[in-house]
């Protein structure tokens, strides 16, 4: 996977002239602040590049530094060290009002003393755009976010979803080089949030602007992003496409934070055809597709619950196979969730879809075999 | 029972207002139309012409009071706004300390504080005598018994009533809204004039109501810091009541003042109603 990417990067410039200038570049960005006389690092050195037109997410738990990182792109925080570049230009010391990026705030931060139209026109008026053009662009933008006819409303007279769209229109109407969104859907209920996710993606395609999206909601990030930077404790743990982050988590943190994941550690028994095999208990085995480990190493492997099959018969030879006891069965409509306890005490979560013919459900207390293909075992960094 | 609960709750306050506000006002309204003197007693004659008489007799003092109140209010806004702004946005964790400092003078009696200014500003007092001995001001220079002293005293005494409502309004401004303005290309000054200032105007509006009315009706500052040329309408009412025992004209003056003030406030609220102010500011 990494090899293929490197190939593309090496070949593409030769084919299409000079490489395109990235929309946003962070170079070794650090943010320190003083708290009770101690220096605290909110961001401990982030280097990343966001391409033009990309839907890029900063994903992580609260306090991981994702919002601080975004605020440094917007210009509300000065990096303690490092460089912020927008379209190749160093903007590290440029104030927010002179940066060609706009932000959608978490609480929307609409101007409460202005109506919808005035809110949306605010940026264009500051930029001294001619009145006729302001009128046209605000009108068009309100149509795009489906708020035509509500120009005279005050923010407090609108629902959360409508305020959200005003905030979006207020930022997008300026045609910024990049749009920064700080957990913009956090205050909405689930239904509306899902609708807005699709809506946001549609708007992004329509306007073709780079979106930088901060969220702690992994499903939101997976649904919408082209690429995701998973952050933890001020550092980027993994930067990749949603599929790769889900399928091939680089660290135990990413595996645990994105979706449900099982972490199984064991000792490498032997390396077969370049693939490490772990021994688990007396008759358990975990097959992997990696051989960078020697026999005797203790390594950790993750496997997603939906990749694991549950059966009473002993699995075929080419599969990972471990024995366990069903500790819990939860019926979830679309699928059943099993908690299976391995002899060592590790609990493995297994999802089994409720297909038409799946009558053979295991009961609590049953002794079962768990199995999965070698390519679904991911060895987490040593 | 539940239905009556709200009415029961306003009962104590309502009774209080009925006994200590409505009854005295009705009584005073009745006094204002009586005729007579203290020795022979006052008789109700429904003499309304007294209102015209006192207004023509004391028109100068009426106008002077309004002028003093107006100037003192404007000076208060100019002084209070930056202070309130600084406490709200730069006060940090010491906000309550600063607010306490603003309110500290209230722990000393109003009259006492004003009298102390009399000592400070006296012709040979703490301020002027060193200046005079240094020859920085002429020997016959004085501050007391001037308009400046009266307006200064008014501003000093009522300034906290201007600071507090403005502070409350500024404190409620969401810092993210200010950031949003900066994000939308507003420089610091524009972010202030287009967002912070309009959002704090309701506080200024409340501050004006809370200072202009008592300043205009004040008599202590003119009495202690002013001279004969600075007599305000409050001083006239006070002397009519307590010195001349001319209750009807004192009561008539009080009602005339109240009426003028109410009309003024309604006109002010209509012209500068918070909604209108905000509409204008949004442009």
């Amino acid at each position: 996977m990494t090899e293929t990417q490197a190939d593309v990067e090496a070949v593409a410039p030769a084919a299409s002239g000079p490489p395109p200038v990235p929309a946003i570049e962070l170079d070794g960005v650090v943010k320190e602040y003083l708290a009770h006389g101690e220096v605290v690092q909110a961001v401990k050195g982030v280097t990343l590049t966001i391409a033009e037109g990309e839907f890029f997410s900063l994903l992580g738990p609260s306090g991981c530094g994702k919002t601080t990182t975004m605020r440094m792109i917007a210009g509300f925080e000065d990096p303690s060290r490092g460089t912020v570049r927008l379209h190749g230009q160093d903007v590290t010391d440029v104030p927010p009002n002179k940066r060609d990026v706009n932000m959608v705030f978490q609480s929307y931060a609409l101007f409460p003393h202005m109506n919808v139209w005035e809110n949306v026109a605010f940026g264009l008026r500051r930029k001294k755009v001619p009145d006729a053009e302001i009128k046209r662009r605000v009108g068009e933008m309100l149509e795009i976010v489906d708020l035509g006819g509500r120009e005279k409303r005050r923010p407090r007279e609108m629902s959360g979803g409508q305020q959200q769209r005003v905030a979006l229109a207020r930022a997008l109407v300026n045609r910024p080089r990049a749009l920064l969104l700080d957990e913009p859907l956090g205050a909405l209920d689930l239904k509306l949030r899902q609708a807005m996710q699709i809506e946001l993606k549609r708007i992004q395609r329509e306007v073709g602007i780079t979106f930088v999206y901060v969220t702690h909601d992994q499903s939101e990030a997976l649904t919408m992003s082209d690429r995701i930077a998973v952050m933890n404790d001020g550092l980027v743990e993994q930067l990749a496409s949603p599929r790769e982050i889900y399928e091939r988590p680089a660290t135990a943190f990413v595996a645990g934070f994105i979706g449900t994941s099982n972490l199984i550690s064991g000792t490498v028994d032997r390396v077969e055809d370049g693939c490490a095999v772990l021994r688990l208990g007396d008759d358990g085995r975990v097959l992997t597709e990696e051989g960078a480990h020697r026999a005797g190493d203790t390594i950790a492997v993750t496997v997603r619950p939906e990749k694991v099959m549950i059966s009473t018969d002993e699995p075929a030879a080419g599969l990972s196979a471990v024995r366990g006891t069903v500790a819990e069965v939860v019926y979830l409509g679309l699928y059943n969730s099993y908690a299976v306890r391995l002899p060592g005490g590790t609990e493995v979560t297994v999802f089994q879809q409720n297909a038409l013919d799946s009558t053979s459900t295991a009961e609590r207390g049953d002794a079962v075999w768990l199995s999965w293909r070698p390519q679904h075992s991911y060895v987490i960094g040593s | 029972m539940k239905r009556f609960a709200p009415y029961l709750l306003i009962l104590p306050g309502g009774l209080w207002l009925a006994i200590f506000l409505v009854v005295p006002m009705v009584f005073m309204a009745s006094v204002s139309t009586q005729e007579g003197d203290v020795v022979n007693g006052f008789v109700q004659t429904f003499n309304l012409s007294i209102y015209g008489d006192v207004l023509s007799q004391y028109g100068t003092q009426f106008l002077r009071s309004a002028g003093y109140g107006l100037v003192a209010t404007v000076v208060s806004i100019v002084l209070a706004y930056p202070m309130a702004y600084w406490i709200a946005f730069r006060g940090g964790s010491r906000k309550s300390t600063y607010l306490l400092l603003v309110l500290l003078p209230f722990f000393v009696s109003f009259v006492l504080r004003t009298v102390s200014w009399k000592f400070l500003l006296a012709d040979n007092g703490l301020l002027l005598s060193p200046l005079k001995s240094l020859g920085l001001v002429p020997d016959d220079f004085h501050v007391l018994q001037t308009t400046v002293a009266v307006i200064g005293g008014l501003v000093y005494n009522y300034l906290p009533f201007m600071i507090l409502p403005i502070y409350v309004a500024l404190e409620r401004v969401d810092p993210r809204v200010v950031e949003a303005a900066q994000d939308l290309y507003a420089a610091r000054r524009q972010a202030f004039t287009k967002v912070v200032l309009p959002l704090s105007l309701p506080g200024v509006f409340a501050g004006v109501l809370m200072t202009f009315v008592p300043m205009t009706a004040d008599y202590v500052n003119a009495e202690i810091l002013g001279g004969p040329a600075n007599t305000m309408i409050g001083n006239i009412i006070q002397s009519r009541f307590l010195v001349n025992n001319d209750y009807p004209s004192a009561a008539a003056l009080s009602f005339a003042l109240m009426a003028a003030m109410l009309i003024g406030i309604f006109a002010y609220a209509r012209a500068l109603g918070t909604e209108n102010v905000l509409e204008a500011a949004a442009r």
Side-chain angles (χ1 to χ4, degrees), chain A residues 29-331:
Chain A
V29 168
V30 174
K31 179 65 188 178
E32 291 170 342
Y33 59 92
L34 272 175
H36 308 291
E38 271 178 67
V39 176
V40 178
Q41 283 197 329
V43 176
K44 297 177 178 170
V46 167
T47 300
L48 51 83
T49 301
I50 300 170
E52 186 75 62
E54 191 172 20
F55 198 120
F56 189 93
S57 288
L58 289 166
L59 172 66
S62 56
C64 72
K66 57 189 192 299
T67 296
T68 309
T69 305
M70 165 172 282
R71 289 173 60 83
M72 286 192 284
I73 300 173
F76 295 125
E77 309 276 357
D78 292 327
S80 310
R81 284 191 290 282
T83 316
V84 179
R85 275 189 293 272
L86 298 175
H87 294 92
Q89 272 190 320
D90 185 345
V91 295
T92 315
D93 300 317
V94 174
N97 58 315
K98 299 212 171 99
R99 292 193 189 191
D100 205 4
V101 294
N102 288 117
M103 187 148 164
V104 175
F105 289 80
Q106 187 167 13
S107 48
Y108 316 136
L110 298 177
F111 303 121
H113 58 302
M114 299 182 193
N115 64 29
V116 168
W117 199 92
E118 291 158 344
N119 261 284
V120 177
F122 190 90
L124 297 177
R125 279 175 164 172
R126 300 290 84 74
K127 284 208 285 193
K128 304 256 188 292
V129 173
D131 275 353
E133 195 187 334
I134 293 181
K135 224 172 183 170
R136 186 176 55 76
R137 277 166 68 173
V138 172
E140 280 174 12
M141 189 46 68
L142 287 175
E143 285 305 321
I144 290 182
V145 297
D146 201 19
L147 280 173
R150 291 199 169 80
E151 291 86 351
K152 295 272 175 251
R153 293 273 186 92
R154 285 289 172 87
R156 62 164 185 274
E157 298 163 352
M158 310 185 88
S159 69
Q162 288 171 330
Q163 291 187 26
Q164 157 73 65
R165 292 201 296 254
V166 177
L168 197 61
R170 185 178 69 171
L172 279 176
V173 75
N174 306 297
R175 297 180 190 148
R177 302 292 292 268
L179 184 72
L180 312 176
L181 302 102
D182 185 8
E183 309 230 7
L185 308 181
L188 306 179
D189 61 58
L190 184 66
K191 265 256 163 64
L192 198 54
R193 197 155 68 220
Q194 286 170 341
M196 281 305 293
Q197 286 175 10
I198 298 166
E199 187 75 1
L200 270 179
K201 195 74 191 157
R202 174 185 69 81
I203 291 170
Q204 198 242 347
R205 264 196 308 270
E206 233 165 86
V207 296
I209 289 173
T210 311
F211 273 36
V212 181
Y213 195 95
V214 162
T215 183
H216 66 269
D217 183 332
Q218 39 116 351
S219 72
E220 210 167 273
L222 291 175
T223 315
M224 296 195 284
S225 318
D226 295 320
R227 281 193 309 154
I228 300 172
V230 183
M231 287 188 72
N232 181 37
D233 199 22
L235 289 168
V236 174
E237 294 257 339
Q238 187 174 10
L239 199 168
S241 68
R243 175 176 289 273
E244 190 172 346
I245 278 184
Y246 184 81
E247 301 282 351
R248 303 188 67 86
T251 65
F253 174 82
V254 176
F257 190 73
I258 312 288
T260 315
S261 188
N262 298 303
L263 195 64
I264 300 166
S265 39
T267 315
V268 177
D269 187 41
R270 57 187 187 277
V271 179
E272 244 173 40
D273 302 332
C275 299
V277 177
L278 275 68
R279 192 179 58 241
L280 219 69
D282 297 333
D283 48 4
R285 59 173 187 267
V286 175
L287 311 184
T288 72
E289 288 196 322
E290 284 182 51
H293 301 275
R294 283 192 311 270
D297 287 356
T298 300
I299 56 170
V301 164
T302 67
V303 58
R304 295 286 180 192
E306 70 275 16
K307 313 285 192 203
V308 181
M309 291 164 283
I310 194 163
S311 60
T312 43
D313 311 322
E314 189 170 347
L319 301 173
S320 298
V322 291
R323 224 201 264 274
T325 317
V326 178
E328 199 71 64
V329 185
V330 182
Y331 175 72

Side-chain angles (χ1 to χ4, degrees), chain B residues 67-137:
Chain B
Y68 283 10
L70 208 67
V71 173
T73 303
V74 172
V75 173
S76 295
I77 296 175
V78 171
L79 292 179
Y81 199 97
M83 275 179 84
Y85 185 92
W86 192 88
I87 298 173
F89 290 112
R90 301 270 185 273
S93 55
R94 298 223 180 93
K95 277 180 191 171
S96 12
T97 313
Y98 298 133
L99 286 178
L100 182 73
L101 287 176
V102 166
L103 291 172
L104 208 56
F106 284 134
F107 288 81
V108 178
S109 140
F110 180 75
V111 176
L112 217 59
R113 275 183 281 140
T114 314
V115 170
S116 69
W117 276 108
K118 190 172 180 164
F119 289 119
L120 288 171
L121 299 176
D123 289 357
N124 292 305
L126 277 173
L127 179 70
L128 290 188
S129 64
L131 289 178
K132 281 179 183 171
S133 59
L134 285 171
L136 289 172
V137 295

Side-chain angles (χ1 to χ4, degrees), chain B residues 24-43:
Chain B
M25 272 184 44
V26 171
F27 181 72
M28 275 299 140
S30 141
V31 167
S32 74
T33 54
Q34 290 175 3
E35 278 178 295
D37 57 60
V38 187
V39 184
N40 301 314
F42 293 94
V43 186

Side-chain angles (χ1 to χ4, degrees), chain B residues 4-257:
Chain B
F4 296 109
Y7 301 101
L8 282 173
L9 283 173
I10 63 159
L11 198 62
L15 273 176
W16 181 274
L17 284 177
I19 294 169
F20 293 104
L21 183 72
V22 177
V23 171
M25 272 184 44
V26 171
F27 181 72
M28 275 299 140
S30 141
V31 167
S32 74
T33 54
Q34 290 175 3
E35 278 178 295
D37 57 60
V38 187
V39 184
N40 301 314
F42 293 94
V43 186
Q44 180 59 268
T45 56
F46 298 103
N47 171 31
L48 288 172
S49 63
I50 188 158
Y51 280 88
D53 294 346
V54 294
L55 279 177
S56 59
Q57 198 179 344
Y58 298 112
T60 327
Q61 284 83 354
F62 258 106
L63 288 179
R64 185 183 293 142
S65 296
Y68 283 10
L70 208 67
V71 173
T73 303
V74 172
V75 173
S76 295
I77 296 175
V78 171
L79 292 179
Y81 199 97
M83 275 179 84
Y85 185 92
W86 192 88
I87 298 173
F89 290 112
R90 301 270 185 273
S93 55
R94 298 223 180 93
K95 277 180 191 171
S96 12
T97 313
Y98 298 133
L99 286 178
L100 182 73
L101 287 176
V102 166
L103 291 172
L104 208 56
F106 284 134
F107 288 81
V108 178
S109 140
F110 180 75
V111 176
L112 217 59
R113 275 183 281 140
T114 314
V115 170
S116 69
W117 276 108
K118 190 172 180 164
F119 289 119
L120 288 171
L121 299 176
D123 289 357
N124 292 305
L126 277 173
L127 179 70
L128 290 188
S129 64
L131 289 178
K132 281 179 183 171
S133 59
L134 285 171
L136 289 172
V137 295
D139 267 353
D140 59 347
F141 184 83
H142 58 94
V143 178
L144 283 185
Q145 311 216 341
T146 63
T147 308
V148 172
V150 177
I151 290 178
L154 287 171
V155 170
Y156 163 72
N157 276 310
Y158 292 99
L159 193 62
F161 294 112
M162 185 64 90
I163 295 176
L164 289 180
I166 297 178
Y167 166 79
V168 170
L170 285 170
E171 167 80 304
R172 275 172 39 191
V173 174
D174 182 357
R176 281 173 201 278
V177 171
V178 184
E179 283 186 348
Q182 290 173 355
D183 185 58
L184 295 162
Y185 318 112
R188 277 174 183 280
R189 217 184 49 192
Q190 282 178 314
F192 175 75
T193 56
K194 297 292 172 189
V195 177
V196 179
L197 183 65
L199 287 176
S200 66
L201 282 183
V204 178
F205 181 85
V208 167
L209 284 186
M210 286 173 73
T211 52
F212 177 75
V213 173
M215 278 173 170
T216 306
D218 186 85
Y219 72 94
V220 175
N221 286 282
E223 177 78 34
I224 297 174
L225 301 174
N230 306 116
T231 316
M232 292 172 74
I233 198 66
N235 303 86
I236 302 290
I237 296 173
Q238 189 242 5
S239 67
R240 289 280 99 190
F241 251 116
L242 301 177
V243 181
N244 302 32
N245 293 331
D246 181 3
Y247 301 147
S249 18
L253 278 169
S254 301
F255 272 96
L257 179 64

